[in-house]
Amino acid sequence: MNAVVAPAEAGRWRSLAPFPMPTWELEGVEWDGRLFLIGGLTNAWAARSGWQPNRLVYEYAPASDCWEQRASIPLPQHHLALAECDGVIYGFGGYRKPSAGPDAWEPVADSWRYDPRADRWDAIAPLPGPRGAAAASALDGRIYVAGGSVACKRRGEVAPRPDAPHASLGEVLAYDPRRDCYEAVAPLLTARNHHLLEAVGGRLYALGGRVGSSNAFTLTNRIDLVEEYDPADDTWWPRARMLAAHGGMAAGVHEDAIYVCGGDNLTMIEKYDARADAWSIVAHLPRARLGASGGCVGGRFHVVTGHVRTAEGSMPVADHLALELGCSFSRARC
């Protein structure tokens, strides 16, 4: 076991225990002061082996700086929408590798409930329709699943072709864990995928992402638009734009502020103060990356894995960096 990590000065990066293997597009979720990374892709960008989704589930404990493998997700999926609610982790949709035909990202409706204490996965009601690269967040006992992408169909087609382009969704669903059912609420003002959805101060914030298809390099555009959802009147409202247009980001909440990491090969760490409706840059990554994962636990913003450009080409990495934020332990999340 690694030594206990000592506190460090706020605003500094620390190198912590690397993820057990180079990978990217894992989804991060915070649980009980720990960080879970789930799903992901393990191949290099545009590798001849094609897209290889996996079933990885790893738990990171900040106190011991250790990674522990947990029960695998039942099906290999990547780009799930994850959220924690009342001590349980929920995963919605994502993409799988088609069983036949051209290699592609095939959206699915499969959804799951994971109990970290029992280390057990169970199926829950599937989404009303398939989607991948959606975003999810818990608020007032319900889990909101927003946006994503779905494969296009031509008139008369029963199912989309494996090589069909994707279209962004604006639909927002509220999942009730007690009743295991979904309710449609007001849609996003801007349909999007590969975005963020975070809860702060009793509101939800949809941040950035992509419009058009889900692939970063074809038929898509990055956006910097931010929308705030008020559950009291079921309304989305525009807020201050991000400092750059990007998707495929990692994020976490610390003391009522949202921290956003890179995405689309940017290095900056943005901080959104929801009360002031203002953005600032608090740090820069040592190197840009795409498809990183992370979250805010232990008073640090953790940025783990991702895809980086190297002298040998673009490759997944296992590195684990943490930005010191300082921590007020009287807060529920830090």
Side-chain angles (χ1 to χ4, degrees), residues 116-134:
R117 292 185 174 87
D119 195 22
R120 172 177 169 173
W121 289 89
D122 293 293
I124 60 174
L127 292 163
R131 70 208 61 196

Side-chain angles (χ1 to χ4, degrees), residues 232-254:
D233 63 3
D234 190 29
T235 300
W236 290 92
W237 204 258
R239 305 296 286 174
R241 291 173 180 255
M242 305 181 78
L243 299 179
H246 46 157
M249 304 155 284
V253 175
H254 173 78

Side-chain angles (χ1 to χ4, degrees), residues 18-254:
F19 193 71
M21 66 194 75
T23 189
W24 62 309
E25 301 292 9
L26 290 152
E27 304 302 324
V29 63
E30 301 129 34
W31 175 83
D32 194 28
R34 302 188 177 204
L35 180 65
F36 277 78
L37 297 189
I38 296 172
L41 296 164
T42 53
N43 60 313
W45 173 256
R48 291 183 179 180
S49 59
W51 303 105
Q52 297 295 334
N54 58 47
R55 300 171 56 202
L56 296 179
V57 178
Y58 274 87
E59 175 187 355
Y60 175 74
S64 58
D65 190 27
C66 285
W67 292 96
E68 178 183 356
Q69 189 167 15
R70 307 299 300 272
S72 299
I73 190 169
L75 295 176
Q77 295 169 224
H78 60 98
H79 287 84
L80 294 86
L82 294 181
E84 182 274 337
C85 184
D86 294 331
V88 176
I89 295 172
Y90 295 85
F92 302 90
Y95 303 109
R96 67 183 175 195
K97 188 180 178 73
S99 57
D103 199 6
W105 292 8
E106 181 179 330
V108 300
D110 305 271
S111 299
W112 309 97
R113 178 185 189 273
Y114 174 65
D115 183 345
R117 292 185 174 87
D119 195 22
R120 172 177 169 173
W121 289 89
D122 293 293
I124 60 174
L127 292 163
R131 70 208 61 196
S137 190
L139 184 63
D140 298 331
R142 299 205 294 177
I143 304 167
Y144 292 81
V145 184
S149 80
V150 63
C152 299
K153 292 189 295 184
R154 292 191 179 276
R155 186 185 298 274
E157 289 182 334
V158 176
R161 293 174 291 179
D163 60 345
H166 289 188
S168 295
L169 296 173
E171 183 178 47
V172 180
L173 301 168
Y175 174 75
D176 185 338
R178 295 163 296 182
R179 299 170 55 212
D180 191 28
C181 65
Y182 301 87
E183 175 188 359
V185 298
L188 293 164
L189 300 177
T190 307
R192 61 184 80 193
N193 64 80
H194 279 84
H195 56 295
L196 301 170
L197 189 70
E198 299 290 345
V200 174
R203 309 282 178 94
L204 292 174
Y205 294 87
L207 313 164
R210 301 174 188 151
V211 295
S213 194
S214 54
N215 193 303
F217 304 106
T218 60
L219 306 176
T220 188
N221 284 301
R222 299 181 291 267
I223 60 174
D224 58 2
L225 300 178
V226 177
E227 298 170 12
E228 176 191 73
Y229 177 73
D230 185 349
D233 63 3
D234 190 29
T235 300
W236 290 92
W237 204 258
R239 305 296 286 174
R241 291 173 180 255
M242 305 181 78
L243 299 179
H246 46 157
M249 304 155 284
V253 175
H254 173 78

Side-chain angles (χ1 to χ4, degrees), residues 207-209 222-226 240-247 249 260 262-270 279-281 284:
L207 313 164
R222 299 181 291 267
I223 60 174
D224 58 2
L225 300 178
V226 177
R241 291 173 180 255
M242 305 181 78
L243 299 179
H246 46 157
M249 304 155 284
V260 179
D264 291 319
N265 285 315
L266 295 175
T267 63
M268 67 179 177
I269 306 298
E270 292 176 273
W279 288 91
S280 59
I281 297 176
H284 283 271

